[in-house]
Amino acid sequence: VPALATERRFAQRLRECLEQEQLSDGRYQLQRLPGGRVALPVLEEKLSRLCLPAEMPCELLRIQRPVPSRAARRRSPARRLRDELRALLGTGWSEELERDVPHAWQRHGDLVLLSQDSFRAAAWERLGSALWQTVAAALGARRVARRGRVMPDGMRTPSVTLLLGQHGWVEHVDNGIRYTFDVTKCMFSPGNITEKLRVASLPCSGEVVVDLYAGIGYFTLPFLVHAGAAFVHACEWNSHALEALHRSLLLNGVRDRCHIHAGDSRQLQLRDVAHRVNLGLIPSSEQGWPAACRVLRKDTGGVLHIHHNVETPPAAAPPRSAVLLAERGSAEAASPGGEARQPEHGGEEALGAGLRPEWQQWAEGTAARIRGLLAELHGRPWRASVLHIEPVKSYAPHVHHLVLDLECRPVLP
């Protein structure tokens, strides 16, 4: 249409002029409207400086769904966030404020969880709710929350402030498993993903598993959904985590295969039921070792998955390769059915990849402690064989979160 083409050419020339005066909003493109009109994006806070041309009628119009420009569509979320905040603050923008804008965040559905060191400058507080609405729009979210420090209450309760939205309940899909929890009450650790994937691949078909520190179901759910466990006893004392666990079990359709034990797992009355016990507590699960020994099947034993933070001093040389497999091939390392089996999780090849002497010392010391606990409990000797050591993540400088897979079997007479 010639008339429309003329209007577009005029609008483009006008846009070039406005860009020179820094009045145009480059985040959005020219947009065709009904009636042969063309919308030109203009920064709202600069409208007072806008002089509309007399040769063509113009009007101010607020478009609810403006079309992003090609350049805007190519921007990373972090860059888009900075651009939106720069536009919001106008001349109040500074390098100090730019350093205060986060480059990364956690996303849980329509909620973004910001780091505790973001937006701390006093200038942000003066913006009020406009700041959080801008953050949500830039990141494609509806709710915004910010982390604080984890409370030292024995439950690792997060200190999270909901900045935009009515509630903190979210749903997070991880390896096909649906977790639901309140971010203001419970933590979700993305750093444990490798261990959750490993647990999901364990051969647990027909097994009874006890998860002594279930939380919101980090490992309870992979055991049930993917690993094929027949039944899981999940122990937890945090009431908020208990509610989240119950909801997540229902979401994933496995509630009938799990019994939740509310309270201190050290006082668990369960005995002689487990083929496998998960002790997913850091920095140490040591206080749960006696309970883990009690719930193991006394006739066949089973496998303990023991989490621990192990300090590793800086190495003077590259870590040596070590195979941590104790008492290989012994009759006591047989499966409950009596058939000898290979170590889980890749055996020697997996175990020998970059393991450090301090990790081996910790594993051997833990195995000795568990052997003593089992012998004292049952009045007869037991064997504890190190199957695997899994490094989960670096927890702090020179401190590593490890998981020891320890196979425990009674010595046959």
Side-chain angles (χ1 to χ4, degrees), residues 203-284:
C204 300
S205 179
E207 292 186 348
V208 174
V209 178
V210 174
D211 190 354
L212 283 180
Y213 307 100
I216 65 172
Y218 285 122
F219 303 114
T220 295
L221 289 166
F223 274 123
L224 289 167
V225 176
H226 293 311
F231 199 84
V232 174
H233 292 273
C235 310
E236 179 55 44
W237 65 1
N238 184 326
S239 60
H240 303 295
L242 285 168
E243 182 179 1
L245 174 61
H246 174 74
R247 292 190 183 194
S248 294
L249 290 167
L250 290 174
L251 273 178
N252 291 277
V254 292
R255 184 65 183 88
D256 60 329
R257 291 161 49 211
C258 181
H259 181 80
I260 298 176
H261 299 264
D264 190 341
S265 61
R266 293 171 296 185
Q267 308 302 323
L268 184 65
Q269 298 302 307
L270 208 59
R271 299 286 189 279
D272 187 25
V273 297
H275 300 94
R276 194 178 297 267
V277 184
N278 194 66
L279 297 101
L281 180 67
I282 55 174
S284 174

Coordinates of all heavy atoms in Angstrom, one line a residue, residues 203-284:
P203 N 20.8 -50.0 40.5 CA 20.0 -51.2 40.3 C 19.2 -51.5 41.6 O 19.6 -52.4 42.4 CB 21.0 -52.3 40.0 CG 22.2 -51.9 40.7 CD 22.3 -50.4 40.7
C204 N 18.1 -50.9 41.8 CA 17.3 -51.0 43.1 C 16.0 -51.8 42.9 O 15.2 -51.7 43.8 CB 17.0 -49.6 43.6 SG 18.5 -48.6 44.0
S205 N 15.9 -52.5 41.8 CA 14.6 -53.2 41.6 C 14.3 -54.2 42.7 O 15.2 -55.0 43.0 CB 14.7 -53.9 40.2 OG 13.5 -54.6 40.0
G206 N 13.1 -54.1 43.3 CA 12.7 -55.0 44.3 C 13.3 -54.7 45.7 O 13.0 -55.4 46.7
E207 N 14.1 -53.6 45.8 CA 14.8 -53.3 47.1 C 13.9 -52.4 48.0 O 13.1 -51.6 47.5 CB 16.1 -52.6 46.9 CG 17.2 -53.5 46.2 CD 18.5 -52.8 46.2 OE1 18.6 -51.6 46.3 OE2 19.5 -53.5 45.9
V208 N 14.2 -52.5 49.3 CA 13.6 -51.5 50.3 C 14.8 -50.6 50.6 O 15.9 -51.0 51.0 CB 13.1 -52.2 51.5 CG1 12.7 -51.2 52.6 CG2 11.9 -53.2 51.2
V209 N 14.5 -49.3 50.5 CA 15.5 -48.2 50.7 C 15.1 -47.4 51.9 O 13.9 -47.1 52.0 CB 15.7 -47.4 49.4 CG1 16.7 -46.2 49.7 CG2 16.1 -48.2 48.3
V210 N 16.0 -47.0 52.7 CA 15.8 -46.1 53.8 C 16.5 -44.8 53.5 O 17.8 -44.8 53.3 CB 16.1 -46.6 55.2 CG1 16.0 -45.5 56.2 CG2 15.3 -47.8 55.5
D211 N 15.9 -43.7 53.4 CA 16.5 -42.4 53.1 C 16.4 -41.6 54.5 O 15.4 -41.1 54.9 CB 15.8 -41.6 52.0 CG 16.5 -40.4 51.6 OD1 17.5 -40.0 52.2 OD2 16.1 -39.7 50.6
L212 N 17.6 -41.5 55.2 CA 17.6 -41.0 56.5 C 17.4 -39.5 56.6 O 17.1 -39.0 57.6 CB 18.9 -41.4 57.2 CG 18.9 -42.9 57.7 CD1 20.3 -43.1 58.4 CD2 17.8 -43.2 58.7
Y213 N 17.7 -38.8 55.5 CA 17.6 -37.3 55.5 C 16.9 -36.9 54.2 O 17.6 -36.4 53.2 CB 19.0 -36.7 55.6 CG 19.8 -37.2 56.7 CD1 20.8 -38.2 56.6 CD2 19.6 -36.7 58.0 CE1 21.5 -38.6 57.7 CE2 20.3 -37.1 59.1 CZ 21.3 -38.1 58.9 OH 22.0 -38.6 60.0
A214 N 15.6 -37.2 54.1 CA 14.9 -37.1 52.8 C 14.8 -35.7 52.3 O 14.7 -35.5 51.1 CB 13.5 -37.8 53.0
G215 N 14.6 -34.7 53.2 CA 14.4 -33.3 52.7 C 13.1 -33.3 51.9 O 12.1 -33.9 52.3
I216 N 13.2 -32.6 50.8 CA 12.0 -32.5 49.9 C 11.9 -33.6 48.9 O 11.1 -33.6 48.1 CB 12.0 -31.1 49.1 CG1 13.2 -31.1 48.2 CG2 12.0 -30.0 50.1 CD1 13.2 -29.9 47.2
G217 N 12.9 -34.6 49.0 CA 12.8 -35.8 48.2 C 13.9 -35.8 47.2 O 13.8 -36.5 46.2
Y218 N 15.0 -35.1 47.4 CA 16.2 -35.1 46.5 C 16.5 -36.5 45.9 O 16.7 -36.7 44.7 CB 17.4 -34.5 47.1 CG 17.4 -33.1 47.4 CD1 17.6 -32.6 48.7 CD2 17.3 -32.2 46.3 CE1 17.7 -31.2 48.9 CE2 17.4 -30.8 46.5 CZ 17.5 -30.3 47.8 OH 17.6 -29.0 48.0
F219 N 16.6 -37.4 46.9 CA 17.0 -38.8 46.5 C 15.9 -39.8 46.6 O 15.9 -40.8 45.9 CB 18.2 -39.2 47.3 CG 19.4 -38.3 47.2 CD1 19.8 -37.5 48.3 CD2 20.0 -38.1 46.0 CE1 20.9 -36.6 48.1 CE2 21.1 -37.2 45.8 CZ 21.5 -36.5 46.9
T220 N 14.9 -39.5 47.5 CA 13.8 -40.4 47.7 C 13.1 -40.6 46.3 O 12.7 -41.7 45.9 CB 12.8 -39.8 48.7 OG1 13.4 -39.8 50.0 CG2 11.5 -40.6 48.7
L221 N 12.9 -39.5 45.6 CA 12.1 -39.5 44.3 C 12.9 -40.2 43.2 O 12.3 -41.1 42.5 CB 11.7 -38.1 43.9 CG 10.6 -37.5 44.8 CD1 10.5 -36.0 44.6 CD2 9.3 -38.2 44.5
P222 N 14.2 -40.0 43.0 CA 14.9 -40.8 42.0 C 14.9 -42.3 42.4 O 14.9 -43.1 41.5 CB 16.4 -40.2 42.1 CG 16.2 -38.8 42.5 CD 15.0 -38.8 43.5
F223 N 15.1 -42.6 43.6 CA 15.0 -44.1 44.0 C 13.7 -44.7 43.6 O 13.6 -45.8 43.1 CB 15.1 -44.2 45.5 CG 16.6 -44.3 46.0 CD1 17.0 -43.4 47.0 CD2 17.4 -45.3 45.5 CE1 18.3 -43.4 47.4 CE2 18.7 -45.3 46.0 CZ 19.2 -44.4 46.9
L224 N 12.6 -43.9 43.7 CA 11.2 -44.5 43.4 C 10.9 -44.4 41.9 O 10.4 -45.3 41.3 CB 10.2 -43.7 44.2 CG 10.1 -44.0 45.7 CD1 9.3 -43.0 46.4 CD2 9.6 -45.4 46.0
V225 N 11.2 -43.2 41.3 CA 10.7 -43.0 39.9 C 11.6 -43.7 38.9 O 11.1 -44.3 37.9 CB 10.7 -41.5 39.7 CG1 10.3 -41.2 38.2 CG2 9.7 -40.8 40.6
H226 N 12.9 -43.7 39.1 CA 13.8 -44.2 38.1 C 14.6 -45.5 38.5 O 14.8 -46.3 37.6 CB 14.9 -43.1 37.7 CG 14.3 -41.9 37.0 ND1 13.4 -42.0 35.9 CD2 14.4 -40.6 37.2 CE1 13.0 -40.8 35.5 NE2 13.6 -40.0 36.3
A227 N 15.0 -45.6 39.7 CA 15.8 -46.7 40.1 C 15.0 -48.0 40.4 O 15.6 -49.0 40.5 CB 16.7 -46.3 41.4
G228 N 13.7 -47.9 40.5 CA 12.9 -49.0 40.6 C 12.8 -49.6 42.0 O 12.4 -50.8 42.2
A229 N 13.1 -48.8 43.0 CA 13.0 -49.3 44.4 C 11.5 -49.8 44.7 O 10.6 -49.1 44.3 CB 13.4 -48.2 45.4
A230 N 11.4 -50.9 45.4 CA 10.0 -51.4 45.7 C 9.4 -50.5 46.7 O 8.1 -50.3 46.6 CB 10.1 -52.8 46.2
F231 N 10.2 -50.0 47.7 CA 9.6 -49.2 48.8 C 10.7 -48.3 49.4 O 11.8 -48.8 49.4 CB 9.0 -50.1 49.8 CG 8.0 -49.4 50.7 CD1 6.6 -49.2 50.3 CD2 8.4 -48.8 51.9 CE1 5.7 -48.6 51.1 CE2 7.5 -48.2 52.7 CZ 6.1 -48.0 52.3
V232 N 10.3 -47.1 49.8 CA 11.3 -46.2 50.4 C 10.7 -45.7 51.7 O 9.5 -45.3 51.8 CB 11.6 -45.0 49.5 CG1 12.5 -44.0 50.3 CG2 12.4 -45.5 48.2
H233 N 11.5 -45.8 52.8 CA 11.2 -45.2 54.1 C 11.9 -43.8 54.1 O 13.1 -43.8 54.1 CB 11.6 -46.0 55.2 CG 10.8 -47.3 55.4 ND1 9.6 -47.4 56.1 CD2 11.1 -48.6 54.9 CE1 9.2 -48.6 56.0 NE2 10.0 -49.4 55.3
A234 N 11.2 -42.7 54.1 CA 11.8 -41.4 54.0 C 11.7 -40.7 55.4 O 10.6 -40.6 55.9 CB 11.1 -40.6 53.0
C235 N 12.8 -40.3 55.9 CA 12.9 -39.7 57.3 C 13.2 -38.3 57.2 O 14.1 -37.9 56.5 CB 13.9 -40.4 58.1 SG 13.8 -42.2 58.1
E236 N 12.4 -37.4 57.9 CA 12.7 -36.0 57.8 C 12.0 -35.3 59.0 O 11.0 -35.7 59.5 CB 12.1 -35.4 56.5 CG 12.2 -33.9 56.4 CD 13.7 -33.4 56.5 OE1 14.5 -34.1 55.9 OE2 13.9 -32.4 57.1
W237 N 12.7 -34.3 59.6 CA 12.2 -33.6 60.8 C 11.7 -32.2 60.5 O 11.1 -31.5 61.3 CB 13.2 -33.7 61.9 CG 14.5 -32.9 61.7 CD1 14.8 -32.1 60.6 CD2 15.5 -32.8 62.7 NE1 16.1 -31.6 60.8 CE2 16.5 -32.0 62.1 CE3 15.7 -33.3 63.9 CZ2 17.7 -31.7 62.7 CZ3 16.9 -33.0 64.6 CH2 17.9 -32.2 64.0
N238 N 12.0 -31.6 59.3 CA 11.6 -30.3 59.0 C 10.1 -30.3 58.4 O 9.9 -30.9 57.4 CB 12.5 -29.7 57.9 CG 12.2 -28.2 57.6 OD1 11.1 -27.8 57.6 ND2 13.3 -27.5 57.3
S239 N 9.2 -29.7 59.1 CA 7.8 -29.7 58.8 C 7.6 -29.2 57.4 O 6.7 -29.7 56.6 CB 7.0 -29.0 59.8 OG 7.3 -27.6 59.8
H240 N 8.3 -28.1 57.0 CA 8.1 -27.6 55.6 C 8.6 -28.5 54.5 O 7.9 -28.7 53.5 CB 8.9 -26.2 55.5 CG 8.5 -25.2 56.5 ND1 7.2 -24.7 56.6 CD2 9.2 -24.7 57.5 CE1 7.1 -23.8 57.6 NE2 8.3 -23.8 58.2
A241 N 9.7 -29.2 54.8 CA 10.2 -30.2 53.8 C 9.3 -31.4 53.8 O 9.0 -32.0 52.7 CB 11.6 -30.7 54.2
L242 N 8.7 -31.8 54.9 CA 7.7 -32.9 54.9 C 6.5 -32.6 54.0 O 6.1 -33.5 53.3 CB 7.3 -33.1 56.4 CG 8.3 -33.9 57.3 CD1 7.8 -33.8 58.7 CD2 8.4 -35.3 56.9
E243 N 6.0 -31.4 54.1 CA 4.9 -31.0 53.3 C 5.3 -31.1 51.8 O 4.5 -31.6 50.9 CB 4.3 -29.6 53.6 CG 3.1 -29.2 52.8 CD 2.6 -27.9 53.2 OE1 3.2 -27.2 54.1 OE2 1.6 -27.4 52.6
A244 N 6.4 -30.5 51.5 CA 6.9 -30.6 50.1 C 7.1 -32.0 49.6 O 6.7 -32.3 48.5 CB 8.2 -29.8 50.0
L245 N 7.7 -32.8 50.4 CA 7.9 -34.2 50.1 C 6.6 -34.9 49.8 O 6.4 -35.7 48.8 CB 8.6 -35.0 51.2 CG 8.8 -36.5 51.0 CD1 9.6 -36.8 49.7 CD2 9.6 -37.0 52.2
H246 N 5.6 -34.7 50.7 CA 4.3 -35.3 50.5 C 3.7 -34.9 49.1 O 3.2 -35.7 48.4 CB 3.4 -35.0 51.6 CG 1.9 -35.4 51.5 ND1 1.5 -36.7 51.6 CD2 0.8 -34.7 51.2 CE1 0.2 -36.8 51.4 NE2 -0.2 -35.6 51.1
R247 N 3.7 -33.6 48.8 CA 3.1 -33.1 47.6 C 3.9 -33.7 46.4 O 3.2 -34.0 45.4 CB 3.2 -31.6 47.6 CG 2.3 -30.9 48.6 CD 2.3 -29.4 48.3 NE 1.6 -28.6 49.2 CZ 1.2 -27.3 49.0 NH1 1.5 -26.7 47.9 NH2 0.5 -26.7 49.9
S248 N 5.2 -33.8 46.5 CA 6.0 -34.3 45.3 C 5.7 -35.8 45.1 O 5.7 -36.2 43.9 CB 7.5 -34.0 45.6 OG 7.8 -32.6 45.6
L249 N 5.6 -36.5 46.1 CA 5.2 -37.9 46.0 C 3.9 -38.1 45.2 O 3.8 -39.0 44.4 CB 5.2 -38.6 47.3 CG 6.5 -38.8 48.1 CD1 6.3 -39.2 49.5 CD2 7.4 -39.9 47.4
L250 N 3.0 -37.3 45.6 CA 1.7 -37.3 44.9 C 1.8 -36.9 43.4 O 1.2 -37.5 42.5 CB 0.7 -36.4 45.6 CG 0.2 -36.9 47.0 CD1 -0.7 -35.8 47.6 CD2 -0.6 -38.2 46.9
L251 N 2.6 -35.8 43.2 CA 2.8 -35.3 41.8 C 3.3 -36.4 40.9 O 3.0 -36.5 39.7 CB 3.7 -34.1 41.8 CG 3.1 -32.7 42.0 CD1 4.2 -31.7 42.0 CD2 2.1 -32.4 40.9
N252 N 4.2 -37.2 41.5 CA 4.9 -38.2 40.7 C 4.3 -39.6 40.7 O 4.8 -40.6 40.1 CB 6.4 -38.3 41.1 CG 7.2 -37.1 40.7 OD1 7.7 -36.9 39.6 ND2 7.3 -36.2 41.7
G253 N 3.1 -39.7 41.4 CA 2.4 -40.9 41.4 C 3.1 -42.1 42.2 O 2.8 -43.3 41.8
V254 N 3.9 -41.8 43.2 CA 4.6 -42.8 43.9 C 4.3 -42.8 45.4 O 5.0 -43.4 46.2 CB 6.1 -42.7 43.7 CG1 6.4 -43.1 42.2 CG2 6.6 -41.4 44.0
R255 N 3.3 -42.1 45.8 CA 3.0 -41.9 47.2 C 2.7 -43.3 47.9 O 3.1 -43.4 49.1 CB 1.8 -41.0 47.4 CG 1.4 -40.7 48.9 CD 2.6 -39.9 49.5 NE 2.4 -39.6 50.9 CZ 2.7 -40.4 51.9 NH1 3.3 -41.5 51.6 NH2 2.5 -40.0 53.2
D256 N 2.1 -44.2 47.2 CA 1.8 -45.5 47.8 C 3.0 -46.4 48.1 O 2.9 -47.4 48.8 CB 0.8 -46.3 46.9 CG 1.3 -46.5 45.5 OD1 2.2 -45.7 45.1 OD2 0.9 -47.6 44.9
R257 N 4.2 -46.0 47.5 CA 5.4 -46.8 47.7 C 6.4 -46.1 48.7 O 7.6 -46.5 48.7 CB 6.1 -47.1 46.4 CG 5.3 -48.0 45.5 CD 5.7 -47.9 44.0 NE 7.2 -48.0 43.9 CZ 7.8 -47.3 42.9 NH1 7.2 -46.5 42.1 NH2 9.1 -47.4 42.8
C258 N 5.9 -45.2 49.5 CA 6.8 -44.5 50.4 C 6.1 -44.2 51.7 O 4.9 -43.8 51.7 CB 7.2 -43.1 49.8 SG 8.3 -42.2 50.8
H259 N 6.8 -44.5 52.8 CA 6.3 -44.2 54.1 C 7.2 -43.1 54.7 O 8.4 -43.2 54.7 CB 6.3 -45.4 55.0 CG 5.8 -45.1 56.4 ND1 4.5 -45.0 56.7 CD2 6.5 -44.8 57.6 CE1 4.3 -44.7 58.0 NE2 5.5 -44.6 58.6
I260 N 6.5 -42.0 55.1 CA 7.2 -40.8 55.6 C 7.3 -40.9 57.1 O 6.3 -41.1 57.8 CB 6.6 -39.5 55.2 CG1 6.6 -39.3 53.7 CG2 7.3 -38.3 55.9 CD1 5.8 -38.1 53.2
H261 N 8.5 -40.9 57.7 CA 8.8 -40.9 59.1 C 9.1 -39.5 59.6 O 10.2 -39.0 59.3 CB 9.9 -41.9 59.5 CG 9.6 -43.3 59.1 ND1 9.1 -44.3 59.9 CD2 9.8 -43.9 57.9 CE1 9.0 -45.4 59.3 NE2 9.4 -45.2 58.1
A262 N 8.2 -38.8 60.3 CA 8.5 -37.5 60.7 C 9.2 -37.5 62.0 O 8.9 -38.3 63.0 CB 7.1 -36.7 60.9
G263 N 10.3 -36.7 62.1 CA 11.0 -36.6 63.4 C 12.5 -36.9 63.1 O 13.0 -37.0 62.0
D264 N 13.2 -37.0 64.2 CA 14.7 -37.2 64.2 C 15.0 -38.6 63.8 O 14.7 -39.6 64.5 CB 15.2 -36.9 65.6 CG 16.7 -36.8 65.7 OD1 17.4 -37.3 64.8 OD2 17.3 -36.2 66.7
S265 N 15.7 -38.7 62.7 CA 16.1 -40.0 62.2 C 17.0 -40.8 63.1 O 17.0 -42.1 63.0 CB 16.7 -39.9 60.8 OG 17.9 -39.2 60.8
R266 N 17.7 -40.1 64.0 CA 18.5 -40.8 65.0 C 17.7 -41.7 65.9 O 18.2 -42.6 66.5 CB 19.4 -39.8 65.7 CG 20.4 -39.1 64.9 CD 21.1 -38.0 65.6 NE 20.2 -37.0 66.0 CZ 20.5 -35.8 66.5 NH1 21.8 -35.6 66.8 NH2 19.6 -34.9 66.8
Q267 N 16.4 -41.3 66.1 CA 15.5 -42.0 67.0 C 14.6 -43.0 66.3 O 13.6 -43.5 66.8 CB 14.7 -41.0 67.8 CG 15.5 -39.9 68.5 CD 16.5 -40.5 69.5 OE1 16.3 -41.5 70.1 NE2 17.7 -39.8 69.5
L268 N 14.9 -43.2 65.0 CA 14.0 -44.1 64.2 C 13.9 -45.5 64.8 O 14.9 -46.1 65.1 CB 14.6 -44.1 62.7 CG 13.8 -44.9 61.7 CD1 12.5 -44.2 61.4 CD2 14.6 -45.0 60.4
Q269 N 12.7 -45.9 64.9 CA 12.4 -47.3 65.5 C 12.5 -48.4 64.5 O 12.4 -49.6 64.8 CB 11.1 -47.3 66.2 CG 11.0 -46.3 67.3 CD 12.1 -46.5 68.4 OE1 12.2 -47.6 68.9 NE2 12.8 -45.5 68.7
L270 N 12.7 -48.1 63.2 CA 12.7 -49.1 62.1 C 13.9 -50.0 62.3 O 15.0 -49.5 62.7 CB 12.8 -48.4 60.8 CG 12.2 -49.1 59.6 CD1 10.7 -49.4 59.8 CD2 12.4 -48.2 58.3
R271 N 13.8 -51.3 62.0 CA 14.9 -52.2 62.2 C 14.8 -53.3 61.1 O 13.7 -53.7 60.6 CB 14.8 -53.0 63.5 CG 14.8 -52.2 64.8 CD 16.3 -51.7 65.0 NE 16.4 -51.0 66.3 CZ 16.0 -49.8 66.6 NH1 15.5 -49.0 65.7 NH2 16.2 -49.3 67.8
D272 N 16.0 -53.7 60.6 CA 16.1 -54.9 59.8 C 15.3 -54.9 58.6 O 14.6 -55.9 58.3 CB 15.8 -56.1 60.7 CG 16.1 -57.5 60.1 OD1 16.9 -57.5 59.1 OD2 15.4 -58.5 60.4
V273 N 15.2 -53.9 57.8 CA 14.4 -53.8 56.6 C 15.1 -53.4 55.3 O 14.6 -53.8 54.2 CB 13.2 -52.8 56.8 CG1 12.3 -53.2 58.0 CG2 13.7 -51.4 57.0
A274 N 16.2 -52.8 55.4 CA 16.8 -52.1 54.2 C 17.8 -52.9 53.5 O 18.7 -53.5 54.1 CB 17.4 -50.7 54.6
H275 N 17.7 -52.9 52.2 CA 18.7 -53.4 51.3 C 19.7 -52.3 51.0 O 20.9 -52.5 50.6 CB 18.2 -53.9 50.0 CG 17.2 -55.0 50.1 ND1 15.8 -54.8 50.1 CD2 17.4 -56.3 50.2 CE1 15.2 -55.9 50.2 NE2 16.1 -56.9 50.2
R276 N 19.3 -51.0 51.2 CA 20.1 -49.9 50.9 C 19.7 -48.7 51.8 O 18.5 -48.5 52.0 CB 19.9 -49.5 49.4 CG 20.9 -48.6 48.8 CD 20.5 -48.4 47.3 NE 20.6 -49.6 46.5 CZ 21.6 -50.0 45.8 NH1 22.7 -49.2 45.8 NH2 21.6 -51.1 45.1
V277 N 20.7 -47.9 52.2 CA 20.4 -46.8 53.1 C 21.1 -45.5 52.5 O 22.3 -45.6 52.2 CB 20.9 -47.0 54.5 CG1 20.5 -45.8 55.4 CG2 20.3 -48.3 55.1
N278 N 20.4 -44.5 52.4 CA 21.0 -43.2 51.9 C 21.2 -42.2 53.1 O 20.2 -42.0 53.8 CB 20.1 -42.6 50.8 CG 20.8 -41.5 50.1 OD1 21.7 -41.7 49.3 ND2 20.3 -40.2 50.2
L279 N 22.4 -41.7 53.2 CA 22.7 -40.8 54.3 C 23.2 -39.5 53.6 O 24.3 -39.1 53.7 CB 23.8 -41.3 55.2 CG 23.4 -42.6 56.0 CD1 24.1 -43.8 55.3 CD2 23.9 -42.5 57.4
G280 N 22.2 -38.7 53.1 CA 22.5 -37.5 52.3 C 22.6 -36.3 53.1 O 21.8 -35.3 52.8
L281 N 23.4 -36.2 54.1 CA 23.5 -35.0 54.9 C 25.0 -34.5 54.9 O 25.9 -35.3 55.2 CB 23.1 -35.3 56.4 CG 23.1 -34.1 57.4 CD1 22.1 -33.1 57.0 CD2 22.9 -34.6 58.8
I282 N 25.2 -33.3 54.7 CA 26.5 -32.7 54.8 C 26.5 -31.5 55.8 O 25.4 -31.0 56.0 CB 27.1 -32.2 53.4 CG1 26.1 -31.2 52.8 CG2 27.4 -33.4 52.5 CD1 26.6 -30.6 51.5
P283 N 27.6 -31.2 56.5 CA 28.9 -31.6 56.2 C 29.2 -33.1 56.6 O 30.2 -33.6 56.2 CB 29.8 -30.6 56.9 CG 28.9 -30.1 58.1 CD 27.6 -30.1 57.5
S284 N 28.4 -33.6 57.5 CA 28.7 -35.0 57.9 C 27.3 -35.7 58.3 O 26.4 -35.1 58.9 CB 29.6 -35.0 59.2 OG 29.7 -36.3 59.7

